[in-house]
Amino acid sequence: METLCTEKTPEPGAFLDILEERRRTSDLSHALRTFSPQPYKGHPPITASALNQAVLDSQHLHYIVEEIATESGEPVEVIREKASGILNEMSHNLQLSSIRLLGYTLSKVFKRAFHTVLVNEDGLNQLRQAIQEHPVILLPNHRSYLDFLVLSYIMFTYDLSMPVIAAGIALMDMMFFAPLLRRSGAFFIRRAIRADKLYWAVLSEYVRTIVRTGYAPVEFYIEGYRSRTLKSLNPKLGMIHMVLEPFFNGEVDDISLVPISISYDRVIEESLLAHELLGFPKPKESTMGLLKAWNVLANDNGSMHVCFGQPISVRALAKGRINFSQHNQVPREMPQNPSEETQEFVSVMGHGVVRLQERGMVISPWSLMATILLQSPEGLGLDTLTQRTTWLRDIVLKFGTHLDWPAQVSDEEVISSNISRHRSMVCCEGGRVLLIEEQGPDGEESISPETAVFRRASIMLMCVSYRNQALHIFVRPALVALAMATTSSTKKEDVFTHFKFLQELFSNEFVFVPGMATEDFKEGCSLLVKCGVLQTSDQELVVIEHGTDTASFLRAILQPFLETYQVVFRHMTEDGVVVFAEKQYIPAVRSYCLKLILAGELQTYEALSSDMQKNVLYTLVRMTAVTKTKVGDQNEFRVDKAAIQRIADILGSIGSHVV
């Protein structure tokens, strides 16, 4: 399993712009051309209605229906009718005519929104072969609403079998658009379904049947939902368990997992995401909102990169790690909980897929610029920003990062064009580059200090989101650099002890594959050597004198996380409340952080981010300093103030070594 995460990731190959031909030829002729994908060879093709009937006729679903009928006292026919209703609400109705309409529409959308949509053809060729040989699971990251159909558009363009796509139930509320999505391969899933035994049984059997028959590639977001911070998220494992079950049960010989990395120069929802993190309500998905977004698409959004990773054989990964006899001891129609061995395998695989997504990301110059500007909130001279950005560019290239730095263009032009593209958050005045202030409505005379803080925070969090796209590049060497600064010893084992504490503390913030702390530490050390920060021997780590500035820069990347965690720990130890509901937590912490910012005691606006505040809470739950219990339909938390203080004391000693 280690090879999934530690082997050198294959180069993605050349990226080609799929919009180039669309700008030269007719979108209508493209949509109406002959579409002839090569299907999966392992099972005869079936229709969508036959697929649904196979689900309703399955022994597994019959078993669950009868079990629920016995438990509830309702007639079996009533439960079967409920199951049929769930399936009708959920299931896709993939039709080529709708795919053609979608292909025509998305050609218009993508040409309006982006200069280029760049795809690695080597990855597509590998995917074409995989689709014919085994059931395929497409696993893209999720940063924008535009992610949802871009893979379908690419696969239609390249004559690949159209995927069926797991979609949130909220999209069903979009008049006219929801039926098109269903006919384009979307199947709709409710939220919080674990407690609904019948719904879970219908969904799991539906997904398993798609995989077992090779009906179509299955596409879903392994992170579970769109990342509002643009960071990678730890995987949600429910769907991955479902798609792998036909393999564990011996119903298919192998399954191919395809990690896919979608990268944006500019995310069209950048302002919306920042405001959501500050507690502003998320707008409801609607057709009217979709139509209003047409004007937003006309902004300078730069390019989109879609990198299809090398298909991963589940069979090869599972060899010697899964005992398949346990799956053969129980009749297939009977539900069984995954063994501890299977859960560990799926968890490591899921985390490994997210790491592969990170390695396939194409980083824009603006992500590097944002990382630098956030360490100088008072602004930087344009020449200084250019020099610092090219310095950081050289470092990330040594790290093996895929960087979209234009060739045949001067560094000054690259910096200036990115400032122009991101003028919603940055400006250049008198040769100095500054983060701007969010503007209020016309005619506004004065604002409260609290409003001023939130307006500043919205711009800061927009900038933070682009730094976050590059965080995975820096986090391991930054953690090693911080661990070295917090111990007086140069021995590897002592530095590693501090590294492991930091990794455990921040494992809700960054993606770490379980059980691979040693490999992460080695990777961090290796990257520090590559960028001239570190010399290593078998037993010791020594910072090179001319590498101290780089080490300080890397440590400073972690400063907002350290400061936010310290502040939330302080709030929870000082506050008189010992037991609280989850819905009370975010407003209380946000109010506390706001007061500290207004008093000048807190510098980082990231402390106002609801995502980071939740991560702190669930870190404390994982570290057993807070206990979570279910009370009715709400989560309730009980605080162990002494345990939190112990963690805070360790973190406090580390925080003093950030810069």
Side-chain angles (χ1 to χ4, degrees):
M1 183 71 76
E2 289 77 8
T3 57
L4 178 66
C5 312
T6 57
E7 280 189 351
K8 181 176 173 58
T9 307
E11 288 296 317
F15 283 86
L16 296 179
D17 178 19
I18 64 172
L19 296 185
E20 182 179 353
E21 184 180 352
R22 298 279 48 73
R23 298 191 194 279
R24 290 189 285 104
T25 61
S26 165
D27 292 335
L28 185 60
S29 63
H30 171 70
L32 296 178
R33 78 192 196 285
T34 301
F35 179 63
S36 53
Q38 294 296 313
Y40 171 54
K41 298 175 181 177
H43 196 281
I46 61 172
T47 64
S49 58
L51 178 75
N52 287 4
Q53 193 59 50
V55 173
L56 294 174
D57 291 343
S58 71
Q59 290 183 323
H60 172 75
L61 190 57
H62 282 187
Y63 181 91
I64 296 296
V65 164
E66 292 176 2
E67 192 173 63
I68 293 173
T70 301
E71 293 169 353
S72 66
E74 292 186 87
V76 168
E77 292 74 17
V78 172
I79 306 300
R80 283 178 181 161
E81 191 65 29
K82 288 181 180 179
S84 180
I86 291 170
L87 186 60
N88 287 336
E89 175 194 81
M90 176 190 303
S91 59
H92 74 82
N93 185 22
L94 188 61
Q95 297 177 13
L96 182 57
S97 59
S98 293
I99 294 297
R100 294 189 185 280
L101 174 59
L102 194 70
Y104 176 79
T105 304
L106 289 179
S107 290
K108 303 294 185 187
V109 168
F110 290 135
K111 284 192 294 184
R112 183 176 177 86
F114 300 105
H115 300 314
T116 55
V117 173
L118 297 150
V119 182
N120 64 324
E121 285 202 321
D122 287 353
L124 282 170
N125 290 333
Q126 292 177 328
L127 175 59
R128 186 187 309 277
Q129 185 66 33
I131 286 173
Q132 298 176 55
E133 295 176 351
H134 304 291
V136 166
I137 313 300
L138 304 175
L139 299 169
N141 57 353
H142 193 14
R143 302 295 177 264
S144 169
Y145 284 127
L146 292 177
D147 300 339
F148 185 70
L149 290 170
V150 67
L151 298 190
S152 295
Y153 180 72
I154 292 169
M155 295 177 80
F156 176 69
T157 298
Y158 281 86
D159 274 5
L160 295 170
S161 297
M162 299 303 298
V164 295
I165 312 162
I169 197 73
L171 293 177
M172 283 187 63
D173 295 332
M174 301 176 71
M175 283 191 309
F176 310 119
F177 191 58
L180 177 61
L181 289 178
R182 190 186 294 275
R183 292 193 295 270
S184 301
F187 62 97
F188 299 96
I189 304 176
R190 299 174 193 170
R191 289 197 174 275
I193 59 174
R194 272 286 188 181
D196 189 332
K197 187 174 181 179
L198 182 61
Y199 192 94
W200 185 265
V202 173
L203 173 61
S204 58
E205 186 60 28
Y206 183 65
V207 171
R208 286 196 297 261
T209 303
I210 293 172
V211 175
R212 183 171 61 246
T213 60
Y215 174 86
V218 178
E219 175 188 338
F220 68 91
Y221 302 117
I222 196 168
E223 297 167 297
Y225 46 83
R226 184 180 52 155
S227 172
R228 298 187 299 177
T229 63
L230 303 191
K231 279 192 309 179
S232 296
L233 304 176
N234 282 301
K236 304 295 183 186
L237 302 178
M239 278 289 288
I240 198 73
H241 272 289
M242 288 183 196
V243 299
L244 293 182
E245 195 163 334
F247 170 74
F248 292 144
N249 290 339
E251 297 170 289
V252 296
D253 183 58
D254 199 359
I255 293 173
S256 294
L257 306 180
V258 181
I260 302 169
S261 309
I262 306 175
S263 313
Y264 295 90
D265 285 352
R266 181 175 180 269
V267 176
I268 63 171
E269 305 98 322
E270 59 183 16
S271 177
L272 174 67
L273 296 174
H275 283 84
E276 284 182 31
L277 292 171
L278 292 171
F280 294 88
K282 175 185 176 183
K284 186 178 180 181
E285 287 91 349
S286 68
T287 303
M288 185 58 66
L290 188 68
L291 295 174
K292 288 179 179 178
W294 181 252
N295 291 330
V296 178
L297 295 177
N299 293 332
D300 177 8
N301 298 307
S303 297
M304 177 200 298
H305 284 80
V306 184
C307 180
F308 288 81
Q310 182 173 333
I312 302 164
S313 164
V314 175
R315 181 181 184 181
L317 287 178
K319 187 176 181 180
R321 297 181 178 92
I322 295 293
N323 177 13
F324 291 96
S325 63
Q326 61 184 323
H327 297 276
N328 299 325
Q329 293 172 359
V330 179
R332 288 176 182 170
E333 70 271 14
M334 294 183 63
Q336 53 179 311
N337 293 323
S339 66
E340 186 175 328
E341 174 188 67
T342 301
Q343 290 182 54
E344 180 181 345
F345 174 80
V346 171
S347 176
V348 171
M349 177 186 288
H351 285 81
V353 165
V354 177
R355 289 286 289 128
L356 290 173
Q357 290 175 343
E358 290 180 335
R359 292 177 182 178
M361 293 284 287
V362 177
I363 303 301
S364 74
W366 175 245
S367 287
L368 305 185
M369 294 165 65
T371 304
I372 291 164
L373 285 169
L374 287 166
Q375 294 192 20
S376 301
E378 71 286 353
L380 285 172
L382 180 58
D383 290 343
T384 302
L385 177 61
T386 302
Q387 181 272 323
R388 294 284 287 170
T389 304
T390 55
W391 164 79
L392 190 55
R393 174 198 64 191
D394 295 342
I395 288 176
V396 301
L397 289 175
K398 290 177 183 176
F399 287 179
T401 302
H402 306 310
L403 182 65
D404 185 28
W405 193 281
Q408 314 304 323
V409 178
S410 70
D411 294 340
E412 290 76 14
E413 285 183 79
V414 172
I415 301 302
S416 295
S417 65
N418 276 274
I419 291 173
S420 175
R421 177 171 298 133
H422 295 280
R423 56 187 176 274
S424 59
M425 69 186 86
V426 72
C427 66
C428 185
E429 295 179 350
R432 193 165 187 81
V433 182
L434 303 161
L435 294 176
I436 66 172
E437 299 293 330
E438 185 181 58
Q439 298 301 306
D442 293 339
E444 184 179 57
E445 294 183 0
S446 62
I447 60 173
S448 67
E450 291 80 6
T451 299
V453 168
F454 277 106
R455 288 187 181 173
R456 178 65 172 168
S458 68
I459 297 296
M460 295 293 287
L461 290 181
M462 285 167 62
C463 192
V464 162
S465 68
Y466 290 96
R467 177 211 65 192
N468 286 349
Q469 290 185 314
L471 266 180
H472 63 276
I473 302 167
F474 303 115
V475 65
R476 285 161 182 78
L479 288 173
V480 173
L482 184 55
M484 290 183 67
T486 59
T487 177
S488 56
S489 170
T490 59
K491 290 184 177 180
K492 278 186 178 179
E493 59 182 324
D494 295 331
V495 176
F496 180 58
T497 298
H498 284 244
F499 175 89
K500 280 200 301 182
F501 169 78
L502 290 166
Q503 189 181 62
E504 180 185 7
L505 185 72
F506 291 132
S507 62
N508 284 25
E509 300 291 346
F510 314 115
V511 177
F512 302 111
V513 179
M516 293 191 64
T518 300
E519 289 77 7
D520 286 330
F521 181 70
K522 289 178 180 177
E523 180 183 336
C525 292
S526 173
L527 295 177
L528 288 175
V529 170
K530 286 183 178 181
C531 66
V533 170
L534 203 61
Q535 285 182 337
T536 66
S537 65
D538 289 342
Q539 302 296 329
E540 290 195 311
L541 302 173
V542 180
V543 175
I544 301 170
E545 185 174 350
H546 66 256
T548 54
D549 287 346
T550 303
S552 178
F553 174 84
L554 291 169
R555 292 196 299 270
I557 290 174
L558 299 175
Q559 184 272 337
F561 301 94
L562 289 163
E563 192 171 354
T564 300
Y565 275 56
Q566 287 172 317
V567 164
V568 177
F569 291 169
R570 176 177 155 190
H571 166 71
M572 297 184 78
T573 53
E574 292 178 355
D575 190 66
V577 177
V578 176
V579 179
F580 56 86
E582 189 163 10
K583 64 181 181 180
Q584 299 169 320
Y585 168 77
I586 295 295
V589 173
R590 182 177 290 126
S591 176
Y592 182 75
C593 292
L594 178 60
K595 290 177 182 177
L596 292 181
I597 290 172
L598 289 169
E601 297 179 35
L602 177 60
Q603 304 305 313
T604 179
Y605 288 85
E606 291 182 59
L608 295 172
S609 165
S610 58
D611 276 28
M612 195 183 296
Q613 293 164 356
K614 289 177 184 176
N615 285 343
V616 180
L617 176 61
Y618 281 92
T619 292
L620 292 173
V621 171
R622 179 168 40 77
M623 298 178 79
T624 68
V626 171
T627 304
K628 183 180 81 168
T629 54
K630 196 78 171 178
V631 179
D633 60 350
Q634 296 287 327
N635 288 324
E636 188 176 87
F637 299 87
R638 179 175 293 275
V639 175
D640 183 340
K641 294 182 182 292
I644 295 176
Q645 189 60 58
R646 285 193 294 271
I647 299 170
D649 290 342
I650 298 172
L651 192 60
S653 66
I654 292 172
S656 62
H657 294 84
V658 171
V659 294

